[in-house]
Amino acid sequence: MDSLRVAVIGAGALGNNHLRVLHNLPGVVISAVVDSNPGRAADAAAKYGCPALYSPFQLKNEIDAAIVAVPTVDHAAVACELLERGIDVLVEKPIAPDLESARRIAETAKRTQFSPKWHSKLAHRLLLFPTLPVFYASLCPADLYRSR
């Protein structure tokens, strides 16, 4: 089976936690790190050996999924754009700053969802870091993750 190609949008604290976990998952390739801060994007990309981008709109269709770890006020714009392009997303918590934005994400995900590889998800318990591999494994095809 092909690797799951994932971009992480947002290279702050939460984005870096996602990068760390993704980097250690068999069958997952970090395809890009995206951050509006060029230095932060470049540092994270260099650490994980992938391209640094400065806007999620620079992403081409060479990814299967994206983790949206940008400021909450930007979740709907980023997640909906990616979903419209056929890219599955995991949106950090809280999903949106208001009900209207949350509904927009949910409706876009429902209307555009087609991928058997990954479904739109909301991350909600990231402080339990020992459980992150189990969480990520639930997002990936079963044969991509093998417990050590």
Side-chain angles (χ1 to χ4, degrees):
M1 173 168 281
D2 294 336
S3 296
L4 184 68
R5 303 165 303 169
V6 181
V8 176
I9 319 299
L14 291 175
N16 272 287
N17 284 326
H18 286 288
L19 287 163
R20 177 182 53 80
V21 173
L22 290 170
H23 178 72
N24 291 313
L25 280 180
V28 174
V29 173
I30 300 170
S31 296
V33 174
V34 181
D35 197 283
S36 60
N37 177 317
R40 195 164 46 202
D43 289 348
K47 183 174 181 178
Y48 295 103
C50 63
L53 302 175
Y54 312 109
S55 166
F57 307 106
Q58 290 178 289
L59 286 168
K60 304 297 180 208
N61 290 332
E62 70 274 355
I63 65 170
D64 301 307
I67 295 175
V68 178
V70 298
T72 305
V73 298
D74 297 322
H75 283 182
V78 173
C80 290
E81 168 66 21
L82 295 170
L83 288 164
E84 291 288 353
R85 293 172 45 198
I87 298 167
D88 291 334
V89 299
L90 180 149
V91 180
E92 251 310 330
K93 63 159 179 60
I95 193 168
D98 54 64
L99 187 56
E100 181 181 331
S101 296
R103 282 190 178 132
R104 182 172 158 223
I105 294 169
E107 289 166 3
T108 304
K110 184 176 181 180
R111 183 174 42 76
T112 62
Q113 200 60 255
F114 67 91
S115 175
K117 283 190 173 182
W118 211 18
H119 300 286
S120 297
K121 299 283 186 178
L122 171 66
H124 82 280
R125 278 296 204 185
L126 293 176
L127 295 178
L128 303 175
F129 292 128
T131 66
L132 276 177
V134 175
F135 175 73
Y136 280 105
S138 76
L139 305 177
C140 302
D143 60 339
L144 290 181
Y145 180 80
R146 291 177 183 77
S147 185
R148 294 178 196 184

